[in-house]
Amino acid sequence: MAPVDPHSYTDSAHPLTTHVSLSLYFDFPSSTIHAAALLNLSSPYTGQLSLDARSLTVHGVLDPQTLAPLPFTLSPPDAVKGSLLSVALDSHASVLILYSTSPDSSALQWLSPPQTFNKTHPFVYTQCQSIHARSVFPCQDTPAARICYSAKLNVPRELSAVMSARHSGRRDPVAGDVSEGFKKVDSAAALNFESLWCGDGRVVEEFVMEQPIPPYLFAFAVGELGSREVGPRTRVYAENVAAVLDSAASEFAGTEDMVRQGEKLFGEYPWERFDLLVLPPSFPYGGMENPRMVFLTPTVIKGDASGAQVVAHELAHSWTGNLITNINNEHFWLNEGFTRYAERRIVEVVQGEERAILSMGIGWRTLNEAMERFKDNMEFTKLKTNQEGIDPDNVYSQVPYEKGFQFLARIERQIGRPAFDEFIKKYIENFKFKSIDTDTFLEFLKANVPGIEKEVDLKLWTEGTGIPPDAYEPVSDLYTTIVSLANEFKLGRMPREDEVANWRGQEWELYLENLPKCVEASQVLALDARYRMSESKDYEVKVAFLQMAISSKCRDYYPEVEKTLKEVGRMKYLRPLYTALVQGSGNEEEKILAKRLFAEARECYHPIAQGVVESILAKHL
């Protein structure tokens, strides 16, 4: 076996999947999907085909032409990779797999009506990055295996569906949708599939993705959805609650301007539509760049359009990440470093240079914090990492984003922006719809920027630990003023109201990021008494403040910590708050609080977030 990815059973000697056809029946009462997956391979194959699976019940594997059963085995699950589904093929170029998901699927969060905005209908959505598509359908779950797909989603008639694909129709279910193969399998779930599929009160939503994408970009959401048009190629979707839809449409009204700026920088937008879906508060990330349908947390809706910077990031992924993809998670910076760079270029034009510099300043602080986090395991301060046996969710950090950004900014400073812009366009054109590694990028860089390796230490930047000495802390009058005011706080002086009169969330976030993590409780109380940060509607500001309050043992704010941890599931907020509660000594009260809060809030978090919090508690308790 020659694996192509430390997080996948995919074998380099096997043909890769080129297309997947899915029939998915959503059973909300049991939090499961009963399904058929038809996998088409790039060429016929004889031997044991290796596929990834996690928490799936496989009812049968068939030859799609004859419906003859194919021998298969499903291994006990590995803690990181899940199970190996091995199928015996004999000159087969396709395989039909009949299966059901589990309520424990690591990609799926099933929300009961009380957990949603509208409180009246259930909701389910996916988060497949980094290695969770295998818990929705058996596949070669590696970015090295790009697939096209079609999907039929059978859902309750009162609900609707969206996907990272083109919507091709909504219609009544018919018996012809269901493979005859279900009648060949000795499984109650399989035998009942046709009657379930054509049951009363059901509807089929059909989708097609005709461009090859890595499996982690497979995405859907099902619920009572509404939408608002915000541009010629953008609709904002959310649960059908007018207040949520209206605030989202207002926050993202400038999306088309960003798309056009992205096209000026990187070439024609390649995915036709750039729609947005605002998910319930449990969504574990700020955004997910699913092509044609970006998923967003409601915490980016801040009322001042600053949340559009997250949209700019996900938009930039349309070229760097979705069009060109890291071959596996060890080269994640190729996705995120490029995208952070592209995001700031878009923000610079659309929102102004000062906004871009503030973003860089916040990034500089988070990069330094990541170095502190990994001080005992510096492997994960590299851009090119070794992740054998490592769960990528547990080492997710801002290193690939911000160190990757710094690397690309260093190259830009060396050769000049016009030359670097030309290089990026050539890079995108050369590798579009391909998955590459760091060495491939470096060879392309050296071939197209002769002598760059003599001016920039490429090996130090990609394989070295820590922050290279030629990294760059941003400079501007506003940035310098904010950092200076933060330094004065250490000496006991709070900023005057006239000094912060024009500050928005980003300014306050940068200010708080530059304060000591632990101060006197009286200082915390005084700061909040003047500026009411604990009540901020901007979660970046609120969480940074609460993190300082916890570290300073200012227990007056623990009720607000509890409220925050119970109302949002974004890991950017969960990780620092739970870590602040449990790390260090002499904080038994905080550790007890952390355990209680997680026990009470756990079911409101996505499974990925549950795993991250569990790892934090396991490390410190």
Side-chain angles (χ1 to χ4, degrees):
M1 180 176 179
V4 299
D5 186 329
H7 303 121
S8 173
Y9 293 107
T10 302
D11 193 316
S12 62
H14 298 176
L16 294 178
T17 305
T18 57
H19 189 277
V20 179
S21 298
L22 292 163
S23 299
L24 306 174
Y25 178 91
F26 289 76
D27 185 5
F28 279 89
S30 66
S31 299
T32 56
I33 299 172
H34 304 301
L38 174 62
L39 279 60
N40 292 306
L41 306 177
S42 59
S43 61
Y45 182 69
T46 297
Q48 295 290 328
L49 178 71
S50 298
L51 299 172
D52 297 302
R54 179 185 285 126
S55 302
L56 299 180
T57 299
V58 179
H59 305 299
V61 182
L62 308 176
D63 178 333
Q65 305 301 319
T66 65
L67 299 184
L70 297 174
F72 72 93
T73 59
L74 188 65
S75 75
D78 173 82
V80 174
K81 294 193 290 186
S83 297
L84 166 63
L85 175 59
S86 183
V87 181
L89 302 183
D90 185 6
S91 296
H92 290 91
S94 59
V95 59
L96 177 63
I97 304 170
L98 312 178
Y99 68 98
S100 297
T101 65
S102 160
D104 298 325
S105 167
S106 59
L108 295 168
Q109 184 170 24
W110 299 83
L111 299 173
S112 63
Q115 294 174 302
T116 65
F117 282 121
N118 63 27
K119 311 299 182 186
T120 58
H121 292 87
F123 197 99
V124 64
Y125 69 92
T126 56
Q127 174 55 40
C128 290
Q129 195 180 46
S130 296
I131 54 171
H132 301 283
R134 66 195 67 184
S135 68
V136 182
F137 64 101
C139 59
Q140 293 163 318
D141 193 6
T142 169
R146 301 178 73 99
I147 57 170
C148 300
Y149 71 85
S150 59
K152 299 183 182 74
L153 278 60
N154 186 306
V155 303
R157 186 172 294 276
E158 64 271 19
L159 305 182
S160 56
V162 293
M163 287 197 82
S164 57
R166 176 171 56 82
H167 186 235
S168 57
R170 177 181 170 97
R171 57 171 176 79
D172 291 334
V174 295
D177 293 334
V178 181
S179 168
E180 289 292 313
F182 281 100
K183 300 176 182 178
K184 306 286 186 179
V185 176
D186 185 17
S187 162
L191 291 172
N192 291 331
F193 193 79
E194 184 172 323
S195 61
L196 285 172
W197 189 271
C198 297
D200 293 338
R202 307 292 296 191
V203 68
V204 172
E205 302 261 25
E206 295 187 283
F207 298 87
V208 178
M209 171 48 75
E210 296 163 320
Q211 296 158 296
I213 62 170
Y216 73 80
L217 292 176
F218 176 87
F220 60 71
V222 179
E224 186 190 31
L225 300 174
S227 66
R228 298 282 189 274
E229 195 84 33
V230 296
R233 46 190 155 181
T234 303
R235 290 188 75 86
V236 174
Y237 292 81
E239 288 183 72
N240 196 21
V241 176
V244 177
L245 288 164
D246 291 343
S247 60
S250 176
E251 189 81 17
F252 308 129
T255 298
E256 179 62 21
D257 288 342
M258 291 192 292
V259 176
R260 289 174 180 167
Q261 184 56 37
E263 289 184 315
K264 289 180 183 178
L265 289 170
F266 312 119
E268 183 180 2
Y269 179 74
W271 304 96
E272 185 184 8
R273 297 287 302 174
F274 184 68
D275 292 327
L276 310 171
L277 171 66
V278 177
L279 285 162
S282 60
F283 184 57
Y285 291 99
M288 183 62 210
E289 63 269 21
N290 308 308
R292 301 182 66 103
M293 184 62 68
V294 165
F295 285 8
L296 295 168
T297 168
T299 64
V300 302
I301 302 174
K302 303 178 182 182
D304 61 2
S306 62
Q309 289 195 17
V310 174
V311 174
H313 183 88
E314 307 312 330
L315 168 65
H317 268 304
S318 301
W319 293 274
T320 55
N322 297 3
L323 202 58
I324 305 174
T325 308
N326 49 237
I327 198 165
N328 61 49
N329 214 67
E330 294 181 327
H331 307 272
F332 190 45
W333 81 272
L334 286 169
N335 276 21
E336 297 300 350
F338 261 100
T339 300
R340 185 68 89 212
Y341 174 87
E343 165 205 335
R344 287 174 180 150
R345 290 291 303 277
I346 293 170
V347 168
E348 181 180 316
V349 174
V350 176
Q351 296 188 347
E353 184 178 8
E354 199 67 77
R355 290 288 124 195
I357 291 174
L358 287 178
S359 173
M360 290 167 58
I362 293 167
W364 178 256
R365 289 298 309 159
T366 58
L367 178 58
N368 280 272
E369 289 169 2
M371 296 299 146
E372 176 66 20
R373 173 187 165 194
F374 291 118
K375 63 184 179 182
D376 297 325
N377 194 345
M378 294 296 284
E379 175 67 24
F380 301 111
T381 68
K382 299 177 181 178
L383 291 182
K384 180 182 176 182
T385 59
N386 178 0
Q387 295 191 17
E388 186 68 44
I390 300 294
D391 186 335
D393 291 332
N394 289 340
V395 294
Y396 176 86
S397 78
Q398 289 299 303
V399 172
Y401 293 75
E402 297 298 343
K403 187 174 179 179
F405 163 80
Q406 287 283 343
F407 179 35
L408 298 173
R410 174 68 185 89
I411 298 170
E412 183 204 277
R413 291 197 303 275
Q414 185 63 42
I415 67 175
R417 178 165 285 187
F420 193 58
D421 284 353
E422 288 304 310
F423 168 77
I424 288 181
K425 288 178 181 177
K426 188 182 295 185
Y427 168 71
I428 291 171
E429 181 61 30
N430 193 76
F431 292 109
K432 63 183 179 182
F433 296 112
K434 294 179 182 178
S435 300
I436 67 170
D437 61 14
T438 300
D439 290 344
T440 301
F441 166 75
L442 293 177
E443 289 305 312
F444 186 79
L445 174 66
K446 289 185 285 187
N448 287 273
V449 186
I452 187 65
E453 69 274 19
K454 297 176 183 177
E455 306 295 337
V456 179
D457 191 336
L458 305 180
K459 186 170 184 178
L460 175 66
W461 269 100
T462 55
E463 298 182 36
T465 59
I467 302 175
D470 51 347
Y472 176 74
E473 182 176 6
V475 176
S476 76
D477 290 344
L478 179 57
Y479 178 81
T480 302
T481 297
I482 293 170
V483 173
S484 296
L485 287 171
N487 289 332
E488 290 181 10
F489 182 87
K490 301 171 189 176
L491 303 175
R493 186 179 93 80
M494 278 192 295
R496 300 188 310 270
E497 292 188 14
D498 64 295
E499 292 176 309
V500 302
N502 296 319
W503 283 15
R504 294 195 286 175
Q506 266 191 309
E507 286 89 340
W508 281 114
E509 182 184 358
L510 183 61
Y511 177 78
L512 289 167
E513 289 287 351
N514 279 278
L515 294 183
K517 293 305 179 192
C518 182
V519 299
E520 293 296 325
S522 60
Q523 291 179 286
V524 177
L525 290 164
L527 185 63
D528 192 49
R530 182 174 294 185
Y531 293 114
R532 306 313 243 177
M533 293 180 181
S534 65
E535 301 170 11
S536 176
K537 302 301 182 185
D538 187 328
Y539 278 91
E540 312 292 332
V541 175
K542 174 188 274 191
V543 169
F545 175 79
L546 293 177
Q547 186 180 2
M548 182 173 68
I550 295 168
S551 299
S552 304
K553 300 289 194 299
C554 192
R555 291 170 175 147
D556 300 58
Y557 294 100
Y558 287 7
E560 192 61 43
V561 171
E562 176 167 352
K563 178 184 174 186
T564 301
L565 289 174
K566 288 183 174 180
E567 69 186 5
V568 297
R570 187 177 177 185
M571 292 189 294
K572 184 177 184 180
Y573 308 141
L574 302 186
R575 193 189 302 273
L577 291 181
Y578 276 109
T579 299
L581 285 170
V582 299
Q583 70 181 2
S585 58
N587 59 340
E588 290 308 309
E589 180 179 334
E590 285 75 16
K591 290 180 179 180
I592 292 170
L593 175 62
K595 289 175 67 176
R596 176 177 69 78
L597 291 180
F598 182 55
E600 294 174 0
R602 186 181 189 280
E603 292 307 311
C604 295
Y605 298 158
H606 187 279
I608 296 173
Q610 291 176 8
V612 166
V613 177
E614 285 168 353
S615 69
I616 291 171
L617 299 184
K619 181 179 179 180
H620 295 284
L621 296 181

